[in-house]
Amino acid sequence: MENEAMLTEEEVSVLTLTGEDGKDVDFEYLDCLNYEGKEYLVLTPAGEDSGEIVILEIEPVDEENENYLAVEDETVLNAVFDLFKEKFKDVLQFEE
């Protein structure tokens, strides 16, 4: 997956992911970033203005399928979020 330009509001991509509890949750796609040889999705809950960011590791299954894994390592989460903030520092405002 190539890094894609930030989508305008009219072009928001919504991903529906099924959680471990079997419930579907919609997320808005923000970006895909590479960090230490792995790809990470940066998402936000769809329809909410909470400012919450979700980062998931992309695990390729085969040429057409992939799994999305919760990132448990705080160091990796912080590093990917820092990359995201740097990439969009002129587009988005971040609270510290």
Side-chain angles (χ1 to χ4, degrees), residues 24-36:
D24 287 347
V25 181
D26 290 338
F27 292 93
E28 290 181 23
Y29 170 90
L30 298 176
D31 202 9
C32 181
L33 298 168
N34 287 307
Y35 176 71
E36 292 191 349

Side-chain angles (χ1 to χ4, degrees), residues 33-40 57 73 75-77 79-80 83:
L33 298 168
N34 287 307
Y35 176 71
E36 292 191 349
K38 295 182 180 180
E39 287 185 305
Y40 295 89
E57 180 183 336
D73 186 332
T75 304
V76 172
L77 281 174
V80 173
L83 288 171

Side-chain angles (χ1 to χ4, degrees), residues 43-96:
L43 310 169
T44 190
E48 295 180 25
D49 196 19
S50 65
E52 180 183 353
I53 298 289
V54 176
I55 297 173
L56 300 173
E57 180 183 336
I58 299 173
E59 177 188 60
V61 175
D62 56 37
E63 288 186 24
E64 295 180 11
N65 300 297
E66 51 195 24
N67 289 327
Y68 306 108
L69 309 174
V71 179
E72 305 289 333
D73 186 332
E74 285 289 323
T75 304
V76 172
L77 281 174
N78 290 331
V80 173
F81 187 57
D82 287 344
L83 288 171
F84 178 76
K85 288 192 300 186
E86 179 62 26
K87 183 174 179 179
F88 293 101
K89 67 182 177 193
D90 296 328
V91 178
L92 302 171
Q93 291 182 337
F94 297 95
E95 294 178 9
E96 293 300 321

Side-chain angles (χ1 to χ4, degrees), residues 15-19 21 23-27 45-46:
L15 299 174
T16 301
L17 302 179
T18 304
D21 59 2
K23 293 183 181 177
D24 287 347
V25 181
D26 290 338
F27 292 93

